[in-house]
Amino acid sequence: MNLLKTIALIIVLSLPSVGYAQKIKAKRVKKDMQTVADWQITHFRDTFSMKHNKPHHIADWTNAALYVGMVKWAEMADSDKYYQWLKGVGEEQKWKLHWRKYHADDHAVAQMYIELFRKYGDSTMIKPSIKGMDYIINNPSTQPITLDNYKHLERWTWCDALFMAPPVLAKLANITGDEKYTDFMLKEFKATTAHLYDADEDLYYRDNSYIGKLDQGHKTFWSRGNGWVFGGLTIIMEEYPKDSKEYAYFLDIYKKMAEKLIEIQTPKGHWAMSLLAADLYPTPEASGTAFFTFGLAWGINNGILNRETYEPAVKKGWNALTSYITTDGMLGYVQPIGAAPGKAWPDKTEVYGTGAFLAAGSEVYKMYSK
């Protein structure tokens, strides 16, 4: 009986996944994006997480990640209502950053402000962000680059921060023409990378507490943490000319991560919550998977990644993600707020998962609408 079970398991594992086989059509991608976006707006102030019983502040990093994807959806949508919704958020917040002066998480909302400024041309939308970033540049933190049990949060001591603040500085450099934003951003990004990037694995540790530690023999590389980095790299690169030294620096990291990511994607299409330990964390997880799908599709669309090599990963990733959408439009299997591999549930979500899904959809749509 045990032999028969083993043979059956081998047969099942050798079969191509349904997600991989399923064709992707641009029209369906757009429909799924609208379904998820509409659900999220309707339930914006509700809670569907295991860890929080009240909604996040509108300028919190969680919602800032949602806005990144919602802006991309607004650009595609047939209705202006999504831009109007985002504009309403900005107006309610009076276009201000969140409350901590140096904390990268509280800068992330400026990504949305800047994109709305690009659409509407209203400088009111970005003045507080410029003021906030200028203060940090003129008064840089002297804290060390180690997190040390969350004692040091004024610099980018955790890898998630590389999605939150660097894109803001890259965007400001682009729209103002002032190189000080790039200079500061590059200096700090390199410091974080020197501290948290594992050159043997081409992945980032979430923070220094994971360096040198093993989980049943596996190095711990958190899926969403690396998703933050990978997705953030694409946003940063879009702000620089392809022949610039800045673009070249980020491109090098991006290509190394991309090559690693397609090696470790699970047969079911998602990426494990602990990227090198799918055996320990078999549950699907949407947020990391969405950021990776977004980043890989972006690379194909921009001629960086070979389509023949990388398209299968995008297909599997996207089809896995759409299988997590509930009948009423919620994206399930989004791991709650955390800093390490953990658990996810089909009926639980978080706003940043929706943001990552919409970002992924925007690039997948481009891939299949050509």
Side-chain angles (χ1 to χ4, degrees), residues 78-243:
D78 299 322
S79 169
D80 194 50
K81 72 176 186 178
Y82 305 99
Y83 271 125
Q84 291 303 315
W85 182 78
L86 289 163
K87 192 176 179 183
V89 170
E91 290 170 346
E92 182 179 347
Q93 181 61 14
K94 298 181 180 178
W95 307 103
K96 294 179 182 178
L97 302 177
H98 207 11
W99 64 280
R100 292 169 291 190
K101 191 181 294 293
Y102 283 95
H103 202 301
D105 287 356
D106 290 354
H107 305 155
V109 69
Q111 293 189 53
M112 183 263 281
Y113 298 160
I114 293 168
E115 292 307 312
L116 292 190
F117 163 75
R118 283 173 160 163
K119 177 174 176 59
Y120 294 105
D122 183 355
S123 61
T124 302
M125 297 174 172
I126 58 171
K127 284 181 178 178
S129 297
I130 291 175
K131 182 179 179 180
M133 295 300 101
D134 284 354
Y135 180 88
I136 293 168
I137 292 171
N138 294 329
N139 303 274
S141 172
T142 58
Q143 286 191 355
I145 200 64
T146 54
L147 190 62
D148 290 349
N149 295 316
Y150 287 85
K151 289 189 293 185
H152 306 138
L153 290 164
E154 292 185 352
R155 295 177 68 196
W156 305 337
T157 53
W158 67 108
C159 74
D160 321 19
L162 298 181
F163 178 91
M164 307 301 170
V168 173
L169 291 159
K171 290 175 186 292
L172 288 179
N174 195 341
I175 64 175
T176 67
D178 195 329
E179 293 183 2
K180 69 182 180 183
Y181 299 109
T182 293
D183 293 342
F184 180 83
M185 185 265 288
L186 264 179
K187 174 178 172 291
E188 291 298 294
F189 200 107
K190 288 179 178 179
T192 303
T193 296
H195 181 48
L196 298 179
Y197 184 72
D198 186 318
D200 292 329
E201 304 294 350
D202 291 317
L203 297 169
Y204 281 77
Y205 292 102
R206 196 273 174 175
D207 57 68
N208 55 269
S209 68
Y210 296 96
I211 298 174
K213 294 183 179 179
L214 298 179
D215 183 3
Q216 297 187 40
H218 301 282
K219 293 180 181 178
T220 300
F221 295 105
W222 182 36
S223 179
R224 185 164 67 240
N226 280 273
W228 290 125
V229 178
F230 195 62
L233 287 169
T234 72
I235 299 171
I236 294 169
M237 283 191 285
E238 286 191 333
E239 302 299 328
Y240 292 100
K242 291 187 175 181
D243 60 353

Side-chain angles (χ1 to χ4, degrees), residues 176-354:
T176 67
D178 195 329
E179 293 183 2
K180 69 182 180 183
Y181 299 109
T182 293
D183 293 342
F184 180 83
M185 185 265 288
L186 264 179
K187 174 178 172 291
E188 291 298 294
F189 200 107
K190 288 179 178 179
T192 303
T193 296
H195 181 48
L196 298 179
Y197 184 72
D198 186 318
D200 292 329
E201 304 294 350
D202 291 317
L203 297 169
Y204 281 77
Y205 292 102
R206 196 273 174 175
D207 57 68
N208 55 269
S209 68
Y210 296 96
I211 298 174
K213 294 183 179 179
L214 298 179
D215 183 3
Q216 297 187 40
H218 301 282
K219 293 180 181 178
T220 300
F221 295 105
W222 182 36
S223 179
R224 185 164 67 240
N226 280 273
W228 290 125
V229 178
F230 195 62
L233 287 169
T234 72
I235 299 171
I236 294 169
M237 283 191 285
E238 286 191 333
E239 302 299 328
Y240 292 100
K242 291 187 175 181
D243 60 353
S244 67
K245 67 180 187 301
E246 294 85 7
Y247 186 92
Y249 170 75
F250 294 112
L251 179 63
D252 179 61
I253 300 172
Y254 169 84
K255 291 173 74 173
K256 289 175 179 176
M257 290 188 71
E259 186 174 351
K260 182 69 174 186
L261 289 170
I262 63 169
E263 292 177 6
I264 58 177
Q265 186 180 23
T266 70
K268 293 183 178 180
H270 67 277
W271 278 266
M273 282 183 267
S274 185
L275 290 172
L276 303 186
D279 54 329
L280 303 181
Y281 298 91
T283 305
E285 202 285 304
S287 62
T289 297
F291 278 123
F292 295 141
T293 303
F294 161 53
L296 293 173
W298 179 89
I300 294 170
N301 289 333
N302 284 273
I304 296 169
L305 302 180
N306 176 271
R307 183 161 185 155
E308 182 179 355
T309 302
Y310 286 90
E311 184 179 18
V314 172
K315 279 185 175 180
K316 289 191 291 183
W318 182 252
N319 285 323
L321 288 167
T322 56
S323 74
Y324 308 151
I325 301 172
T326 64
T327 54
D328 60 349
M330 184 192 82
L331 179 69
Y333 281 115
V334 179
Q335 184 187 0
I337 293 171
K343 296 181 180 180
W345 297 266
D347 59 342
K348 302 298 177 186
T349 195
E350 266 289 4
V351 286
Y352 47 75
T354 298

